[in-house]
Amino acid sequence: MPRYLLASTALLAMATAAHAEDVTTKKTTPLLTSTIRNGAADAINVTKDGSVVLTSGTAVTMDSNHNVTNAGTITIANVNGARGIVANAGTTGDIVNSGTITLDEPYTPTDDDKDGDLDGPFALGSNKIGIRTEGDHTGKITQSGTITVEGNDSAGISLGGKLTGNFTHDGKTSVLGDNAVGVKTGQIDGNVGLAGTVQAQGRNAVGARFGGDINGAMVVQGQIVSTGYRYPTPPADPSKLDADDLLQGGSAIVIEGNVTGGIVLAVAPKDSDPKNDDEDGDGIPDATEGAAKVQTYGKAPAIVIGSATRDIAIGPVANTASKYGLQIDGTVEGHGLYAGMDGNGVAIGGLGGKVTIANGIGVSGTVTATSKDAAATALRLGSGAATPLIQNAGTISASGAQAVAVRVDAGASLPTLRNSGTIKAAAVNENGSAIAIGDASGTLNLVENSGTISATGAKAGSGRNVAIDLSKAAGSVTVKQTQVGAGFTAPAILGDILLGGGNDLVDIADGTMT
């Protein structure tokens, strides 16, 4: 597979610490880098045998230009406004957590009405943050440990200003409560590596929100999950669930700024050099890497790229032949799950600002949307979204009452779509509709297929099983089904093809069209 090399980012300044003050025992008072060494400033290193256990406030504060490392335990129980590690605005120093940060509470929901499911809010406390920068910060931030936060309006990691340095997540971060956010950032002048596990559960909960420009590359290689549901696996009888069991969360990943080095939902690299433990150069040992799996349970899209207030651009991914701006090698899933809830996979644009994705969108993994009885849209280019190409060698699929695998809205732009994998839409009942590829923008003028494009499930002869809808085309369009080599599965188009009013061409060189 291609390698996604992340170029190193030079820091403007370095933390001034010749050594660190080790914390090897239990501390019950806050630690500050400015006074940690008998009243003098130094770096803080909480070792695996050390801990900071408080009843309020902030456990460790970087208030001088010195590193903070935690390999031990930081705990603040049942306190609103608790902070694990805080870096004051304007400080310089690395923040590394390989231990545990726990900001929890003793509250547990109970089955008050005796109907077999739990009742009440997910959390009672509020405003808790595992790792926080209060303003602009210089230095890398690395989370390879465990951060657990229970509280409304809380976050696992929240950056309050620009980060000059790489951001790497390779641990486990979970946040429980309304408006929970696993990872929240602004501008990052460096690379982003999002691996491990990030989970956010509660009303409006978001897995990872990148609210500013990323002047580097973004590589997602972990499991990122968001939901407002109490039960992401439905019980045998969902009709007994209460309103507080069916809250709507936010998206698993939200990207609201430029990403100059492109976005990759990656899988683990092959071991082609036993002497190199990090062949893709992302700062994470290859042996510990997984595959990207981005999941949202609820009607919010699993991935949102775009902003309501500004235009953004996604640059090309370096060190690949295609140099697509968005490369999906892993999995994206949007599941409405319960009755009446839409399912949405990847949504680009459609929020007000324009979104430009350099060179195209490549899919070699899976993008899926499902709904029990409502709409399901796997990959959507909303108004203002523009990219020259979608190249699918994987699977893009939607299943719902109104299922659309690839949707291009009016006001978007997509001239070419090539498929060598599977693009499929399936209506869940014969009264529904299925559209594998639907273009309302009038810009899609070339569809090439050497795989399978299918629309099924609606009543036969109803006109609601549409494989390719180019009826809004502004000019002439071409649909080509190309010849494949010996030993390869013959290509197929299953469903209606709707053309526009131009000098259109349908060229079936191999396989079947039904």
Side-chain angles (χ1 to χ4, degrees):
M1 63 165 286
R3 297 285 183 257
Y4 306 113
L5 301 179
L6 301 184
S8 62
T9 299
L11 302 184
L12 299 180
M14 298 299 294
T16 55
H19 54 79
E21 185 71 12
D22 292 339
V23 177
T24 60
T25 59
K26 178 180 178 180
K27 302 293 184 181
T28 58
T29 56
L31 306 182
L32 289 77
T33 58
S34 62
T35 58
I36 188 65
R37 192 170 182 81
N38 297 321
D42 205 344
I44 294 175
N45 177 33
V46 181
T47 69
K48 64 181 181 61
D49 299 318
S51 64
V52 184
V53 180
L54 302 185
T55 57
S56 65
T58 298
V60 180
T61 300
M62 180 190 294
D63 58 347
S64 60
N65 293 336
H66 295 84
N67 299 334
V68 170
T69 302
N70 174 50
T73 302
I74 293 175
T75 304
I76 307 175
N78 202 28
V79 178
N80 292 341
R83 303 285 189 270
I85 298 173
V86 169
N88 287 352
T91 52
T92 295
D94 295 342
I95 300 173
V96 179
N97 178 60
S98 60
T100 62
I101 299 174
T102 304
L103 312 177
D104 60 1
E105 59 188 23
Y107 165 73
T108 302
T110 58
D111 184 9
D112 295 335
D113 55 9
K114 309 301 180 186
D115 64 351
D117 62 79
L118 300 176
D119 300 302
F122 288 108
L124 297 181
S126 64
N127 191 25
K128 305 173 185 180
I129 303 175
I131 297 175
R132 170 71 174 172
T133 60
E134 293 293 355
D136 291 351
H137 181 78
T138 299
K140 69 182 180 183
I141 295 179
T142 304
Q143 147 58 357
S144 60
T146 300
I147 297 176
T148 303
V149 179
E150 296 175 0
N152 302 306
D153 303 297
S154 298
I157 301 172
S158 177
L159 307 188
K162 180 177 73 173
L163 174 66
T164 303
N166 292 337
F167 178 91
T168 304
H169 185 287
D170 189 28
K172 181 177 181 179
T173 297
S174 81
V175 186
L176 180 66
D178 292 349
N179 304 310
V181 182
V183 173
K184 181 180 180 181
T185 77
Q187 180 176 333
I188 297 177
D189 287 351
N191 297 309
V192 172
L194 194 62
T197 302
V198 179
Q199 298 176 328
Q201 184 178 19
R203 188 197 305 269
N204 302 321
V206 173
R209 181 186 295 276
F210 298 92
D213 294 343
I214 297 172
N215 293 310
M218 173 183 286
V219 177
V220 179
Q221 206 162 5
Q223 185 173 22
I224 318 299
V225 184
S226 66
T227 187
Y229 297 147
R230 196 183 300 275
Y231 304 104
T233 300
D237 185 5
S239 66
K240 294 183 178 180
L241 296 179
D242 303 314
D244 60 8
D245 301 318
L246 298 172
L247 303 175
Q248 288 303 302
S251 298
I253 297 178
V254 177
I255 298 168
E256 298 174 308
N258 301 325
V259 184
T260 60
I263 303 167
V264 183
L265 275 65
V267 296
K270 295 179 180 179
D271 187 5
S272 57
D273 182 1
K275 295 181 180 180
N276 187 349
D277 294 333
D278 185 17
E279 292 187 46
D280 56 0
D282 61 358
I284 302 171
D286 295 342
T288 68
E289 291 190 44
K293 191 169 187 179
V294 182
Q295 300 168 295
T296 290
Y297 297 94
K299 63 184 179 181
I303 297 179
V304 171
I305 303 174
S307 170
T309 59
R310 56 169 296 196
D311 298 343
I312 69 172
I314 310 300
V317 175
N319 302 298
T320 62
S322 62
K323 289 184 168 51
Y324 297 136
L326 173 60
Q327 179 70 43
I328 301 174
D329 299 331
T331 301
V332 181
E333 300 176 359
H335 301 293
L337 210 61
Y338 290 98
M341 298 299 173
D342 297 343
N344 293 283
V346 178
I348 302 169
L351 299 174
K354 296 179 181 179
V355 180
T356 303
I357 298 182
N359 301 324
I361 298 170
V363 179
S364 60
T366 301
V367 180
T368 300
T370 66
S371 173
K372 183 179 178 65
D373 57 5
T377 305
L379 175 57
R380 174 191 173 200
L381 298 184
S383 178
T387 194
L389 168 70
I390 290 178
Q391 178 81 52
N392 177 56
T395 298
I396 304 174
S397 68
S399 173
Q402 298 86 39
V404 183
V406 178
R407 170 179 162 182
V408 185
D409 288 352
S413 177
L414 175 69
T416 303
L417 188 153
R418 293 190 174 97
N419 174 58
S420 59
T422 299
I423 299 176
K424 62 181 179 180
V428 294
N429 60 67
E430 67 173 13
N431 295 320
S433 62
I435 302 174
I437 300 169
D439 173 38
S441 71
T443 63
L444 183 56
N445 53 48
L446 174 61
V447 176
E448 289 187 354
N449 179 50
S450 59
T452 299
I453 300 172
S454 69
T456 60
K459 185 177 180 179
S462 66
R464 297 193 303 272
N465 292 312
V466 179
I468 303 171
D469 184 356
L470 304 177
S471 60
K472 302 295 185 183
S476 300
V477 300
T478 299
V479 176
K480 282 188 176 183
Q481 185 150 281
T482 59
Q483 188 171 7
V484 299
F488 291 90
T489 302
I493 297 174
L494 177 61
D496 295 345
I497 297 176
L498 307 183
L499 303 175
N503 186 19
D504 301 330
L505 172 67
V506 177
D507 181 359
I508 306 299
D510 196 358
T512 60
M513 182 183 73
T514 305

